[in-house]
Structures are given as structure tokens and as C-alpha cells.
Amino acid sequence: MSNEIPANRPMTLAEWATLLFLSILWGGSFFFNAVAVKELPVFTVVVGRVAVAAVLMLGLLRIMGLKLPGQRRIWAAFFAIGLLNNAIPFSLIVGGQQHIASGVASILNAATPLFTVLFAHFLTTDEKMTGNRLAGVLVGFLGVAVMVGLDAVQELGSHVTAQFMCLSATVSYALASIYGRRFRAMGVPPLVTATGQVVAASVLLVPVMLLVDRPWTLPMPGLGALGAVAGLAVLSTALAYVLFFRLLATAGASNLALVTFLVPASAILLGFLFLGEVLLPRHLAGMALIGLGLAAIDGRPWRAMRRRGAASAANRG
């Protein structure tokens, strides 16, 4: 039986709901990063995120009666995905957010589907680029830029190094989404994959943190910074990556990458609903463009309109 995912098929309603919830979890990571990095250095924030998540997920594995596999090839894959999906992008984004606004980081992060669609076309046999998919990605990216605002777009000319760091993180995410498909073929459950990933990332990052940040020399952070790291670990990592690998196994890398379009929208809506922030016309316009782009990628609305058009023409004839 083939383990390839028919990724160009429309996602189910359950998959779209999972994608939306995942965008909410990851939308919070930009806020948590911004709070934590005010008091803690980059690698300490990232290690706190992955190490706490690893402890939580190992405990969850035990409760579920599951355990990490012992095969070398699977652990080699865990270290590869931990590097591509955690160690590299988390460090680059947190480092970049020391110098650029969250809005700019959101725009750059939304480039992930562009790279994923491009890489998947050349690196997979079942996720080939289509006209609808490419058009949808471009319209969705435009929607993110409109929603975040002209001021943030104008800032793209400054802090080039920080922006390059965030953009490089999206390349790493895109490659991780494609590489992560192999765990389904290996028969590794999503929860086990997510746990192995953060355990491997922790092993990779702890020595770097000890060498670079020397955390024993740092002042005790405040409750805000500690709470932000806890939010990163519990919500934006442990829970998010269980959903990530579950969705990757069923919907494919290109579909999963669409979550980065929804992250800024989720962040703005959460601010409007729970923090009393203002919902501006550009936010609504950007969300409309994102919806249009997602509809183009999904394909079902266009097929429904074509069917209606064909039915109307037949009735007139």
C-alpha cells in the first residue's frame, strides 16, 4: 500500500479546523517570544521552550502507554526534524525579534507556504505545483501584508540581518514539513514523532545554551518572562506539534504550510476579542484576501461555481 499523501486534494472540514486551531497556538508564539526575549537571551528562551515541552510530552507518552522507539534510523530522523523544525527556526526567529516588530516577523513568516510549494514540487512525487495553488499562495501572502499594514511593510528595508534570520527560518520550516512526511511511512505515531522531535532539539540546544548564554550568570527573570516561556512550551510547542504531525500525516506539507497565513489573522482576532484591541478595515481586507487565497488553494469553491455555471447554461439551453 502506498504511503504517499494525495496532498493536492481539498482538506476536510476537520483538517481545516485543526489548521485554524494550530494557527491560534502559533500566533501566540510571537507574543510570548517578544515578552521572554526582553529578559532572557535567545538560546535560553529556545531551550526553555523545547526542554519543558519535552518533559511534558514524555510524561504524556507514559500516560498513553507509548514509548520512544529505539531504532537508530528513527532517531536520526528525530534529530534531523528537531534541527529543521525547532533548533534552527526557533533560534532565528527569537534572534530576529530582538530587532524587528512582530508585524514584520509575521510577514516574513508567511513566506513559508511559498517555499513549501516550491520545494515540494521538486522534492516530492505527489505535491506538484498547480496554477490554483501558486495563485492562492501569492494572494494569501498579499493578504498578510495588507493586514499587518503599510507601516510594517515599509520597515522591510531596515534591520536586514534580522529579517534575513526570520526569512531563513521559513526555509527551514518548509524543508521540515517535507522531511517530516517520512514518519508516517515509518509507522511512527504523531505524538511519538512530536516528542522525539523536541527531545532531539533539546539535546542539540542545551550545550549551545550553556556555552553561549551561560545561564548561571543571568539575573532571575520576572514572572512575565517565565510565564511567556511556559506558554511557548505548553501551548506553542507541546500541544501545537501534536496537531502539526497529525495534520502533516493526513493533509501533506503544502496544505499544512497554509497555517502561516492564518497566524497573523489569529493574533489580530485574539487581540480584538480578549485584549480590546481595535479591528481596523485593513485587517478585514487582509483577512478577505487570505480567505480568497485559501479558497483558491482548496479549489472547492471554484469547482462549485463552475458546476453552477454549467448547470445554468444547460438549463438555458
Side-chain angles (χ1 to χ4, degrees):
M1 181 181 297
S2 173
N3 282 304
E4 290 187 343
I5 305 163
N8 286 326
R9 65 162 173 81
M11 286 194 289
T12 66
L13 291 178
E15 288 168 345
W16 277 112
T18 302
L19 193 77
L20 177 60
F21 186 49
L22 185 58
S23 77
I24 295 171
L25 296 175
W26 276 341
S29 69
F30 286 96
F31 167 75
F32 292 139
N33 283 338
V35 173
V37 82
K38 290 179 181 178
E39 298 186 44
L40 295 169
V42 171
F43 291 113
T44 300
V45 173
V46 178
V47 166
R49 177 176 184 175
V50 295
V52 172
V55 171
L56 291 174
M57 295 176 74
L58 285 170
L60 182 58
L61 277 189
R62 187 177 182 86
I63 292 172
M64 300 288 292
L66 300 171
K67 60 181 180 179
L68 292 173
Q71 298 96 314
R72 287 186 179 181
R73 68 184 184 92
I74 295 180
W75 272 102
F78 282 159
F79 275 97
I81 196 69
L83 186 68
L84 289 172
N85 217 24
N86 290 165
I88 291 176
F90 288 178
S91 301
L92 289 172
I93 290 173
V94 174
Q97 280 195 256
Q98 289 182 314
H99 306 287
I100 61 176
S102 294
V104 177
S106 297
I107 294 175
L108 295 169
N109 190 58
T112 299
L114 297 173
F115 289 115
T116 304
V117 168
L118 178 64
F119 294 158
H121 179 75
F122 293 104
L123 299 177
T124 71
T125 60
D126 61 324
E127 295 197 43
K128 297 302 181 183
M129 189 183 303
T130 64
N132 281 354
R133 185 173 292 275
L134 180 59
V137 167
L138 294 175
V139 171
F141 185 77
L142 176 62
V144 172
V146 169
M147 183 175 54
V148 173
L150 183 60
D151 292 341
V153 175
Q154 290 173 340
E155 290 181 25
L156 288 173
S158 60
H159 300 295
V160 175
T161 300
Q163 292 166 30
F164 181 76
M165 291 169 67
C166 290
L167 192 60
S168 298
T170 68
V171 174
S172 189
Y173 278 139
L175 292 172
S177 293
I178 296 168
Y179 184 86
R181 291 160 35 111
R182 69 189 56 214
F183 291 102
R184 181 174 184 263
M186 290 178 175
V188 183
L191 179 60
V192 175
T193 301
T195 304
Q197 172 192 255
V198 291
V199 168
S202 300
V203 172
L204 291 170
L205 285 167
V206 166
V208 178
M209 177 198 67
L210 295 175
L211 182 65
V212 176
D213 290 351
R214 298 168 58 86
W216 59 89
T217 66
L218 301 175
M220 184 66 183
L223 291 178
L226 293 175
V229 173
L232 283 168
V234 178
L235 300 176
S236 301
T237 307
L239 179 56
Y241 276 112
V242 172
L243 300 178
F244 173 91
F245 284 106
R246 185 182 299 274
L247 195 57
L248 180 61
T250 62
S254 297
N255 283 328
L256 181 56
L258 302 177
V259 71
T260 57
F261 285 157
L262 294 171
V263 164
S266 297
I268 288 173
L269 284 175
L270 286 172
F272 171 71
L273 292 172
F274 298 106
L275 300 177
E277 296 177 355
V278 178
L279 191 63
L280 300 174
R282 62 178 168 83
H283 296 153
L284 298 176
M287 290 177 198
L289 284 170
I290 289 172
L292 182 63
L294 294 174
I297 292 168
D298 186 64
R300 276 178 290 195
W302 314 130
R303 287 193 293 272
M305 285 190 293
R306 283 198 296 267
R307 285 196 297 269
R308 289 195 191 99
S312 298
N315 290 334
R316 287 195 301 268

